[in-house]
Amino acid sequence: WIVVATIQDLKTREIANWLNFSLIIFALGFRLFYSLFSAGNFNFFYQGLIGLGIFFVLGNVLYHGRMFAGGDAKLLIALGAVLPVSGSFYENLEVFSFFFVIFLFAGAIWSLGVSAFIVSKNLMKFKKEFKKQLRVYKKVISAIVLLDILLLIVFFNDYGSLFLLLAILIFVSPYLVVYAKAVDESSMVKKLETRKLREGDWLYKDVKVSGRTVRARWDGLRKEEISLLRKSLKMVLIREGVPFTPVFFLSFLVFFYLWYKGLGYSFW
């Protein structure tokens, strides 16, 4: 399922709902039949439901926090029904946490790698936009750096190298935000013919057509909005995103390799 989702995302920049929902149905169906005919109780099935519920909340937090697109959030929710590998709720919480840590690391590496490749093809535009974003966020960056220095002075003697690492992360974080914003504005916006628009595409900014305003929303364009744009315009500006499903695939492989090697327990 993840492989097919990855291929879909790389080719079309979207993941079909039927793929995510069918994974949920298959995972829960397998758990139900296993519980009926092999386990002798329904605990394995219940753990799948609990995992689905936990990842439903997590997926929605990431989606509404504008960190995930809809397809990515639904795929993460579907994995909630797959990941519980134990009949123990507390062990499954370790499984979820271990997977999510791997997922965050893989996501950071993937995003930085892909964005660096994109920047290399639009280097001059990126440099100009990066300087612009630095000016926009100058006061915020200065405040964070000042706060970071004060915290480092106060707490370094008590917490040593651990707090130094945290201080470095705090210092770097606003520059990463500026970097991401500069990549987005300089390299992820393109003109697209309205006849090629698909449901869920992101408008770069609001567009006024035929006395109406088509909003640039996080959940993307709807069918009726696409029809309206096609009637009035030939081209619109669209914001593209970095395909994220390869991170699911890599994280899933690394997770199960490490877990079944027993390294998941040593991690904690």
Side-chain angles (χ1 to χ4, degrees):
W1 266 271
I2 298 175
V3 169
V4 175
T6 300
I7 294 170
Q8 278 193 347
D9 195 18
L10 291 173
K11 290 180 67 176
T12 67
R13 293 296 192 271
E14 61 182 357
I15 307 170
N17 283 332
W18 67 262
L19 190 68
N20 293 323
F21 294 146
S22 66
L23 178 55
I24 295 173
I25 294 169
F26 176 80
L28 293 180
F30 174 81
R31 289 178 177 276
L32 178 61
F33 278 95
Y34 182 84
S35 298
L36 282 171
F37 299 108
S38 295
N41 60 66
F42 286 92
N43 189 44
F44 189 63
F45 177 68
Y46 294 149
Q47 293 302 323
L49 290 177
I50 293 170
L52 181 65
I54 291 173
F55 275 68
F56 178 81
V57 173
L58 180 60
N60 275 279
V61 168
L62 293 172
Y63 173 73
H64 291 291
R66 299 195 173 188
M67 290 176 277
F68 267 20
D72 296 325
K74 291 170 187 174
L75 182 58
L76 185 67
I77 292 169
L79 288 182
V82 177
L83 286 172
V85 294
S86 169
S88 166
F89 171 72
Y90 294 104
E91 186 174 331
N92 284 329
L93 284 181
E94 289 187 354
V95 169
F96 299 154
S97 301
F98 187 50
F99 174 79
F100 200 63
V101 168
I102 293 171
F103 187 76
L104 290 176
F105 274 102
I109 294 169
W110 172 260
S111 298
L112 287 173
V114 172
S115 64
F117 174 74
I118 293 171
V119 165
S120 68
K121 298 193 297 182
N122 302 275
L123 193 55
M124 296 306 297
K125 288 177 63 179
F126 169 78
K127 287 181 178 180
K128 183 178 178 180
E129 187 63 36
F130 187 79
K131 291 177 181 178
K132 175 184 174 183
Q133 295 300 327
L134 278 177
R135 291 193 297 270
V136 171
Y137 289 98
K138 183 179 179 180
K139 292 183 179 180
V140 175
I141 293 172
S142 299
I144 291 174
V145 170
L146 179 60
L147 177 63
D148 195 27
I149 293 172
L150 291 174
L151 290 173
L152 190 59
I153 293 171
V154 173
F155 291 107
F156 182 73
N157 288 334
D158 294 326
Y159 296 97
S161 58
L162 179 63
F163 195 81
L164 179 61
L165 178 61
L166 179 61
I168 292 172
L169 291 174
I170 293 173
F171 178 80
V172 170
S173 60
Y175 291 99
L176 289 177
V177 171
V178 169
Y179 170 78
K181 185 70 175 175
V183 172
D184 190 39
E185 293 293 329
S186 65
S187 307
M188 305 303 290
V189 178
K190 72 171 188 177
K191 284 186 177 181
L192 185 69
E193 295 178 40
T194 53
R195 64 183 179 85
K196 295 181 179 180
L197 286 172
R198 299 188 304 268
E199 191 173 3
D201 279 342
W202 295 330
L203 279 179
Y204 173 61
K205 57 185 178 181
D206 295 350
V207 177
K208 291 185 177 181
V209 286
S210 303
R212 293 177 55 185
T213 301
V214 180
R215 301 289 181 185
R217 299 186 314 275
W218 178 246
D219 54 350
L221 289 168
R222 299 168 183 164
K223 288 181 179 179
E224 59 272 19
E225 292 172 331
I226 292 173
S227 297
L228 183 63
L229 289 171
R230 285 174 177 170
K231 290 177 182 177
S232 306
L233 299 172
K234 290 185 177 181
M235 306 284 290
V236 290
L237 287 175
I238 293 295
R239 188 188 300 277
E240 289 189 321
V242 174
F244 207 69
T245 46
V247 176
F248 287 88
F249 181 67
L250 293 172
S251 301
F252 203 72
L253 290 181
V254 172
F255 163 74
F256 270 105
Y257 175 78
L258 294 179
W259 191 264
Y260 281 109
K261 285 289 185 179
L263 297 178
Y265 294 100
S266 62
F267 173 83
W268 297 109

